Amino acid sequence: MSFYFQDGYLYCEQLKVKDIQAQIPESPFYLYSKQQITKNYSAYSEAIEDINAIIGYAIKANNNLAILKHLQELGSSAVLVSGNELRIALKANFNPERTILNGNGKTIDELMYAIQNQVLINIDSKFDLQHIQRAANEVGKRANVLIRINPDIDPQVHPYVSTGIKNSKFGIQNKELDWFLDFIKSSSLLNLVGVHCHLGSTIEQTQVFYDATVLMSEFVKIIRSQGFELQYLNIGGGLGIDYHKQGEILPTPLDLINSIREVLDNQHISLIIEPGRSIVGNTSILVNRVIGVKTNGNKSFVVVDGSMSELIRPSLYNAYHHIDLIEPCEGELKKFDVVGPVCESADFLAKDCYLTSPSEEMGLAVWDAGAYCHVMSSNYNLRMRPPEYWVDENQLIQIRKKECIEDYLNLFNI
Ligand code: LLP
């Protein structure tokens, strides 16, 4: 691992996080290991070595331009959910013809922009297909589309990150598949190239992916039997990561691919996978400073300078992120809630976590902050989004500046 403890100090690659904290003027800040991003991507690229597949990194998990450029250079494709994600993907040099646009509410402008760039587009509903057709007509180009099937498979994850069950807002109603196929057949502006599904996020069993691939392969057969030449079977993203650090063995990208390899054999189809969290999740920590320690009633609190504004997953999903002091601290372990300065009781980074009582100014790290953390940060309480740094061959480099209040005030024309 690129983050590890030695003599009571947390390290990122060969650098002591405490020394990094002393050099950086802002707090809190996100700290990444570039080497870990490379390792995680390589785990996917090695797993697909002998099959025809596209790894589409889901930009929504982390859209830092330095990270995107790095993944692009490693050979990744990109998965998008908005026109702006397409803009940043182009800036990072991703080949648009190998990127995929998802979404249940794509606007005509976003669709036109995607079609101009020959992006692969997932059809999410009847109105979405009509909008794609309209956008293709406006642009005067054919749209390459995939149908987003709703597999109705329960991925057994938090309801907010479950997307492929019957009552989810995503995907088409499968019983209406013929309506979609007839519509596409009758249009010279639509080119059906594949099928797509996405079950959810933080999935911990390969069986879920296997079941989805079997089901999707049936759809491929049905659709091909109507004369369509499908090239892609897209099974989405969703592989979980080890947030809990309890020694649990989670499936690797190779386990995932091995579990579906047989199903893909002889289908003459390219696989698309859309991982986000499993590529960037464990590549970053949020480094905070302790402001103070207090007790109210029978609860003890460590108050730090990071908050739900910088990292909302615990408040929003009750998600667990492991917490550690970044430096040695003597004393007995005690149960604390780790909270921020935001004026709201939902503002916490951890509940009931065991720490030795830290002194003011000590460093405290929130682990596994690389996916869905900076991207979901906000200006709540008029806090400025934090800067990002990475360690690249043992050099500390800033890869995003901290937002400043002047940028914010410039949004008002008064
Ligand atoms: N493809 C599609 C169509 C998706 O909707 C998603 C994520 C992905 C790929 C990437 O999934 P991943 O491999 O990262 O699990 N904010 C939540 C996560 C929401 C994920 C939504 N979809 C969180 O913080 O856990």
Side-chain angles (χ1 to χ4, degrees):
M1 273 301 294
S2 305
F3 293 95
Y4 59 94
F5 274 97
Q6 199 172 306
D7 301 327
Y9 285 96
L10 181 61
Y11 281 75
C12 176
E13 302 184 17
Q14 307 293 312
L15 304 187
K16 208 183 250 183
V17 178
K18 187 70 193 165
D19 295 342
I20 294 177
Q21 192 189 35
Q23 281 178 52
I24 291 182
E26 313 94 353
S27 184
F29 61 90
Y30 280 86
L31 177 67
Y32 295 80
S33 157
K34 186 177 179 186
Q35 158 192 294
Q36 190 63 44
I37 301 173
T38 311
K39 276 191 198 162
N40 294 349
Y41 180 79
S42 307
Y44 273 100
S45 58
E46 284 159 21
I48 59 153
E49 229 160 39
D50 54 349
I51 58 173
N52 204 347
I54 294 181
I55 303 166
Y57 165 65
I59 287 189
K60 60 155 80 164
N62 189 312
N63 59 32
N64 184 294
L65 189 52
I67 294 174
L68 298 185
K69 282 190 169 157
H70 180 52
L71 286 169
Q72 186 277 330
E73 280 161 15
L74 292 172
S76 183
S77 295
V79 166
L80 319 165
V81 289
S82 68
N84 282 342
E85 285 196 353
L86 174 54
R87 269 175 201 103
I88 204 163
L90 291 175
K91 200 154 179 139
N93 273 334
F94 284 102
N95 173 358
E97 294 179 24
R98 285 167 70 87
T99 63
I100 302 108
L101 178 65
N102 277 301
N104 65 315
K106 309 174 205 78
T107 64
I108 300 286
D109 282 349
E110 286 175 321
L111 290 169
M112 283 171 57
Y113 185 42
I115 295 165
Q116 251 147 12
N117 286 286
Q118 296 287 281
V119 168
L120 301 167
I121 302 175
N122 285 332
I123 304 162
D124 188 81
S125 60
K126 287 186 176 175
F127 74 74
D128 195 39
L129 182 54
Q130 285 156 345
H131 292 178
I132 296 170
Q133 152 104 348
R134 214 165 99 199
N137 195 29
E138 296 267 334
V139 174
K141 269 190 185 172
R142 246 177 141 202
N144 294 320
V145 292
L146 291 83
I147 298 181
R148 180 163 181 168
I149 304 278
N150 185 333
D152 194 18
I153 291 174
D154 182 359
Q156 293 170 20
V157 296
H158 189 287
Y160 285 10
V161 295
S162 171
T163 47
I165 50 172
K166 198 168 61 201
N167 293 332
S168 147
K169 71 168 180 172
F170 300 101
I172 67 154
Q173 275 203 290
N174 301 345
K175 59 177 195 245
E176 293 180 334
L177 180 64
D178 282 339
W179 181 92
F180 286 86
L181 297 179
D182 291 344
F183 191 105
I184 296 167
K185 268 183 214 157
S186 69
S187 168
S188 58
L189 289 166
L190 300 168
N191 181 26
L192 183 64
V193 295
V195 288
H196 171 257
C197 73
H198 173 74
L199 302 158
S201 212
T202 68
I203 298 170
E204 299 193 347
Q205 297 114 12
T206 53
Q207 182 71 36
V208 174
F209 293 101
Y210 171 82
D211 291 347
T213 311
V214 169
L215 192 129
M216 295 297 284
S217 302
E218 284 307 310
F219 279 103
V220 169
K221 267 192 215 140
I222 296 170
I223 297 171
R224 278 182 167 164
S225 73
Q226 295 210 21
F228 290 98
E229 286 175 24
L230 297 188
Q231 294 170 51
Y232 299 114
L233 197 173
N234 183 340
I235 58 163
L239 192 62
I241 61 166
D242 180 19
Y243 283 112
H244 285 90
K245 321 249 170 271
Q246 299 284 331
E248 203 189 340
I249 310 281
L250 293 184
T252 61
L254 183 62
D255 295 332
L256 192 173
I257 297 296
N258 282 345
S259 75
I260 60 172
R261 204 177 284 278
E262 237 174 65
V263 190
L264 296 172
D265 273 354
N266 305 321
Q267 278 201 52
H268 306 289
I269 202 146
S270 296
L271 177 73
I272 301 180
I273 37 174
E274 306 184 327
R277 188 186 319 268
S278 49
I279 289 190
V280 287
N282 69 356
T283 67
S284 177
I285 54 175
L286 177 70
V287 183
N288 306 267
R289 263 208 179 88
V290 174
I291 298 180
V293 175
K294 69 188 273 187
T295 301
N296 274 351
N298 51 16
K299 273 266 177 205
S300 294
F301 300 92
V302 175
V303 184
V304 296
D305 56 4
S307 71
M308 67 187 290
S309 301
E310 292 76 28
L311 196 151
I312 200 176
R313 299 191 71 255
S315 309
L316 188 61
Y317 310 118
N318 216 9
Y320 179 84
H321 280 260
H322 202 66
I323 301 266
D324 271 315
L325 296 173
I326 65 171
E327 56 199 295
C329 176
E330 299 291 307
E332 265 183 51
L333 283 180
K334 214 175 131 180
K335 215 195 256 183
F336 288 104
D337 282 6
V338 178
V339 300
V342 163
C343 203
E344 163 126 29
S345 291
D347 177 29
F348 63 92
L349 296 171
K351 291 236 172 201
D352 294 332
C353 90
Y354 283 91
L355 293 171
T356 45
S357 189
S359 316
E360 291 179 15
E361 299 288 310
M362 274 189 167
L364 180 145
V366 180
W367 286 75
D368 301 311
Y372 306 107
C373 289
H374 200 291
V375 281
M376 291 175 75
S377 62
S378 75
N379 292 126
Y380 189 37
N381 279 209
L382 211 43
R383 297 169 61 82
M384 297 295 108
R385 286 189 181 79
E388 294 177 298
Y389 292 81
W390 71 14
V391 174
D392 180 6
E393 308 204 333
N394 294 316
Q395 291 245 355
L396 180 68
I397 298 168
Q398 188 178 53
I399 54 171
R400 183 198 298 255
K401 291 187 210 145
K402 182 178 177 165
E403 280 180 356
C404 62
I405 186 70
E406 289 74 24
D407 294 339
Y408 188 86
L409 292 173
N410 274 338
L411 299 172
F412 304 98
N413 301 321
I414 40 175

